[in-house]
Amino acid sequence: MEKAFLILEDGSVYEGKAYGARKEVISEIVFNTSMTGYLEVLTDPSYAGQAVIMTYPLIGNYGICLEDMESERAWPDAFIAREFARMPSNFRCDMGIEEFLLKYDIPGIEGLDTRALTKKLRECGTMNGLITTNENFNLDEILPKLKEYKPTGVVKKVTCKEKYELKGDGYKVALLDFGAKKNIARSLNERGCNVTVYPALTKAEDIIATNPDGIMLSNGPGDPKECVEIIEELKKLYNTDIPIFAICLGHQLMALANGADTHKMKYGHRGANHPVKDLRNGRVYISSQNHGYVVDDEKMDKNIAEPAFVNVNDKTNEGLRYVGKNIFTVQFHPEACPGPKDSGVLFDEFIKMMEDKKNA
């Protein structure tokens, strides 16, 4: 098997075996702690501009079930695991994971010490890295490039190119696609909503003109502060009385549109077992998460929004409720199913918000 290397910006080198596409890439290296759901990880647009390490040691054992894709393609720059399964076993399996990586030109590495690598990122923070099969690499040339790298323009890369509709006979919901997973629109559609999905840079006036019952702001990749044009449009949507529900990047962008701040986390939250507490009733949800930035809720004017959810592990903000507005936002992914579908109730709350507005 061909050797492959992961070189981090601190100069550390991890050796493994090449898997998937043979291609050299520089990317932000992050880790995901999920034991299953690797296809959902691969097809989550929020991973655009990142290379993903799976901490679970065996990936690919149930193969690729194309029906479970969260978008039309795979997005990570690279995929890294301790071991990739060669013989998947699942009656729904359409192909093996290597065939899938080759299809989308994504390089992989296996056989390196993912435990040591994850500990490094937890201790030192997220770092950029180079994935290569070139054994004659020159660190003096590579390290300056790694320190300079920053993924940019990723929301424009992942958003839909034109609007499309999921028919329903209930409330009209406008979903702004910043990198939306399919299950967001599906979760609304299953509750009867007629969902129209819009490109990320759609003007607020164009959405308001369709007279939607509610607006959904999706998840997405990258630094929220980069989305200057989108933030300006969200300021206009905030000033309407249309109910708004936002997830992940949408949550961060709405906060920035209203004077809050965001910062990059040391290594982020990426996995399927993050506990979040609802500050209204003390209930704890086990949530799926994928984000490297967080809202500084202490810098949010309490007359504009108040904390709604908090991460039980590190006490970071996981959601906001906007004072005097039909707007609430969450950092985690209520459309995902890491186990019990307990946080799916937030979609029901959004439906109730639209119903109350309609009957007011």
Side-chain angles (χ1 to χ4, degrees), residues 7-76:
I7 304 161
L8 296 181
E9 64 180 274
D10 69 347
S12 54
V13 178
Y14 296 81
E15 180 181 331
K17 303 296 182 184
Y19 192 82
R22 303 304 195 262
K23 178 179 168 185
E24 187 168 285
V25 296
I26 292 176
S27 187
E28 183 180 49
I29 313 300
V30 301
F31 63 87
N32 184 296
T33 58
S34 301
M35 296 174 68
T36 61
Y38 51 81
L39 177 60
E40 287 83 350
V41 169
L42 280 165
T43 55
D44 181 352
S46 295
Y47 282 112
Q50 297 176 327
V52 183
I53 306 158
M54 299 300 292
T55 61
Y56 190 71
L58 178 63
I59 297 297
N61 54 309
Y62 55 86
I64 296 293
C65 310
L66 296 176
E67 184 182 355
D68 297 338
M69 289 177 66
E70 284 290 353
S71 65
E72 297 304 316
R73 55 156 299 156
W75 291 105

Side-chain angles (χ1 to χ4, degrees), residues 230-282:
I230 297 171
I231 291 168
E232 289 304 310
E233 299 305 314
L234 294 188
K235 290 178 181 178
K236 301 172 189 175
L237 295 178
Y238 172 83
N239 287 322
T240 69
D241 60 353
I242 303 171
I244 298 175
F245 178 27
I247 291 172
C248 197
L249 180 63
H251 153 76
Q252 297 166 4
L253 295 177
M254 180 57 77
L256 288 172
N258 285 281
D261 195 11
T262 59
H263 69 264
K264 190 171 185 177
M265 305 174 77
K266 186 175 181 181
Y267 49 81
H269 295 158
R270 297 176 182 88
N273 61 346
H274 289 264
V276 296
K277 184 177 182 179
D278 187 333
L279 296 177
R280 291 178 305 175
N281 53 27

Side-chain angles (χ1 to χ4, degrees), residues 238 254-262 295-308 317 319-325 327:
Y238 172 83
M254 180 57 77
L256 288 172
N258 285 281
D261 195 11
T262 59
V295 172
D296 296 322
D297 60 352
E298 292 181 1
K299 296 181 181 179
M300 171 67 85
D301 185 340
K302 297 301 186 286
N303 294 315
I304 294 177
E306 55 190 22
N317 179 261
L320 293 166
R321 293 186 185 276
Y322 286 76
V323 179
K325 290 283 186 177
I327 302 174

Side-chain angles (χ1 to χ4, degrees), residues 164-312:
Y164 61 93
E165 190 174 3
L166 279 74
K167 294 287 187 180
D169 56 9
Y171 294 110
K172 286 173 54 181
V173 176
L175 169 57
L176 269 169
D177 175 15
F178 306 139
K181 294 193 289 181
K182 286 183 177 179
N183 212 25
I184 294 176
R186 189 184 303 124
S187 294
L188 293 166
N189 202 226
E190 287 173 350
R191 289 165 170 81
C193 295
N194 189 94
V195 183
T196 304
V197 184
Y198 291 89
L201 295 176
T202 302
K203 296 295 184 183
E205 293 84 358
D206 294 338
I207 293 174
I208 295 167
T210 66
N211 195 30
D213 297 306
I215 297 171
M216 184 93 213
L217 309 179
S218 84
N219 63 293
D223 183 347
K225 289 181 180 176
E226 184 189 312
C227 302
V228 176
E229 298 168 76
I230 297 171
I231 291 168
E232 289 304 310
E233 299 305 314
L234 294 188
K235 290 178 181 178
K236 301 172 189 175
L237 295 178
Y238 172 83
N239 287 322
T240 69
D241 60 353
I242 303 171
I244 298 175
F245 178 27
I247 291 172
C248 197
L249 180 63
H251 153 76
Q252 297 166 4
L253 295 177
M254 180 57 77
L256 288 172
N258 285 281
D261 195 11
T262 59
H263 69 264
K264 190 171 185 177
M265 305 174 77
K266 186 175 181 181
Y267 49 81
H269 295 158
R270 297 176 182 88
N273 61 346
H274 289 264
V276 296
K277 184 177 182 179
D278 187 333
L279 296 177
R280 291 178 305 175
N281 53 27
R283 179 178 177 180
V284 174
Y285 301 125
I286 300 302
S287 69
S288 178
Q289 302 204 10
N290 172 18
H291 62 104
Y293 292 83
V294 67
V295 172
D296 296 322
D297 60 352
E298 292 181 1
K299 296 181 181 179
M300 171 67 85
D301 185 340
K302 297 301 186 286
N303 294 315
I304 294 177
E306 55 190 22
F309 295 88
V310 65
N311 189 287
V312 175

